[in-house]
Amino acid sequence: MGNVISAFWKGVKYKGGPGHYAFILHRLTGIGVALFLVVHIMDNFVILFGEEAFTEVLHLYANPVMRLLEVFLIFSVAYHAFNGLRVIIVDFWAPNSHVQRALWILVWVVVIPITIVAAWFTLAPIFGLR
Amino acid sequence: MNNKDYGLSKYKYQGGFETWAWFFMRISGVVLLLIAVLHLLLMHVYIQVENITYDVVANRWTGTWGPFWKTYDLALLIFALTHGFNGLRWIVDDYIHRAGWNVFFKALLLVIYLVVIAMGTYTVFSFTG
Ligand code: HEM
Ligand code: HEM
């Protein structure tokens, strides 16, 4: 386990420029979303035990801390999705470095508004807004 | 930014299963960009999470559009899980080099993948309301 952690840190400290940080974040968000997905299939499974049991599960998600994690999840999916698209475009079309730079900025131009809108819809009810 | 410095381009050139897996990650990525992002927009912006109840889900799965949403959820299940777990398998290969542990973690991933895909499929098919 120690080896794995030190290998990971070596990866984080490696100075590979923005492409490298893009990759680290892509990896972390991919792991996070995959873990959520396993939990999510299990919480959906509870619907087979009837309305009462499923309602109880939905109540767990209504907790403000869970709602905050949900916004974090949406950010993770959005970043992973649009950075993934950027990776695919670069892999198949290998554009010049100006275009690559523009694509990297474009990822954030899309991801930040999505996160803000999702945060509003998810968190506003907690504060009695909307 | 040189595309050989990040990404997993090495798999592209290996041939056989790994090349196939590399392409699958790109194709499923594009599919997920549509269906996973739409799933989130639907749940958070259209339905809105505080309105999700047993009845809402029951109506989606058994109403007029039931077969459509069941197919949609099944596609999301299979694409997201297969894409995600192939990604986790790559990560195990990147960090865990001791042969025994490498096989152990990949076997563990395979077992979790099969159990979860069975649970999700069973949920979609056996739910009657
Ligand atoms: C929403 C659209 C998505 C797109 C466009 C996308 C795209 C990609 C691409 C292109 C890769 C390969 C990266 C590379 O070769 O460097 C990748 C890796 C990965 N994806 Fe996705 N993906 C999406 C959704 C998901 C979802 C829903 C999950 C989780 C269930 C996930 C989990 C992962 C993981 C764990 C990896 C491995 C990361 C790594 O090796 O560093 N992805 N994704
Ligand atoms: C916190 C955000 C999310 C909420 C509130 C949510 C909500 C739901 C609900 C209510 C269902 C029940 C079926 C339906 O009404 O269509 C469902 C099913 C499903 N969701 Fe999500 N979802 C979220 C995030 C995600 C993400 C990020 C993924 C993919 C990585 C995902 C994948 C699935 C799958 C595969 C199913 C079908 C489950 C099954 O086969 O039993 N969901 N989701």
Side-chain angles (χ1 to χ4, degrees), chain A residues 24-91:
Chain A
I24 296 280
L25 194 54
H26 192 80
R27 181 156 274 191
L28 290 175
T29 52
I31 296 171
V33 176
L35 290 180
F36 165 79
L37 187 58
V38 171
V39 175
H40 189 42
I41 308 296
M42 292 180 177
D43 67 51
N44 263 314
F45 187 71
V46 175
I47 202 169
L48 298 180
F49 298 102
E51 178 159 2
E52 225 168 287
F54 191 62
T55 305
E56 225 164 282
V57 170
L58 289 175
H59 273 310
L60 293 177
Y61 280 94
N63 182 303
V65 176
M66 291 298 277
R67 289 292 188 231
L68 205 61
L69 287 175
E70 229 170 278
V71 173
F72 187 65
L73 175 76
I74 293 165
F75 163 77
S76 299
V77 173
Y79 173 79
H80 188 95
F82 289 99
N83 184 61
L85 186 62
R86 183 188 65 82
V87 171
I88 295 170
I89 291 170
V90 171
D91 273 340

Side-chain angles (χ1 to χ4, degrees), chain A residues 27 70 91 100 122 130, chain B residues 1 26 44 48 50 94:
Chain A
R27 181 156 274 191
E70 229 170 278
D91 273 340
Q100 291 203 19
T122 309
R130 204 178 80 230
Chain B
M1 279 195 272
R26 267 96 195 130
H44 287 84
Q48 296 165 8
E50 73 273 16
D94 269 1

Side-chain angles (χ1 to χ4, degrees), chain B residues 16-65:
Chain B
F17 179 76
E18 288 303 346
T19 299
W20 189 86
W22 189 91
F23 275 107
F24 174 79
M25 288 304 266
R26 267 96 195 130
I27 292 159
S28 57
V30 174
V31 173
L32 284 167
L33 183 63
L34 295 174
I35 64 178
V37 173
L38 190 66
H39 180 72
L40 283 178
L41 285 177
L42 225 57
M43 292 300 168
H44 287 84
V45 178
Y46 181 69
I47 299 176
Q48 296 165 8
V49 278
E50 73 273 16
N51 300 326
I52 297 175
T53 61
Y54 178 88
D55 287 330
V56 167
V57 178
N59 276 330
R60 278 165 57 78
W61 274 351
T62 58
T64 325
W65 285 88

Side-chain angles (χ1 to χ4, degrees), chain B residues 55-98:
Chain B
D55 287 330
V56 167
V57 178
N59 276 330
R60 278 165 57 78
W61 274 351
T62 58
T64 325
W65 285 88
F68 174 80
W69 289 119
K70 283 192 166 190
T71 310
Y72 185 103
D73 286 338
L74 216 55
L76 186 57
L77 174 79
I78 291 165
F79 275 108
L81 265 182
T82 309
H83 176 105
F85 274 70
N86 185 57
L88 294 178
R89 186 180 65 89
W90 278 352
I91 295 170
V92 167
D93 273 346
D94 269 1
Y95 297 123
I96 301 176
H97 302 299
R98 288 260 290 278

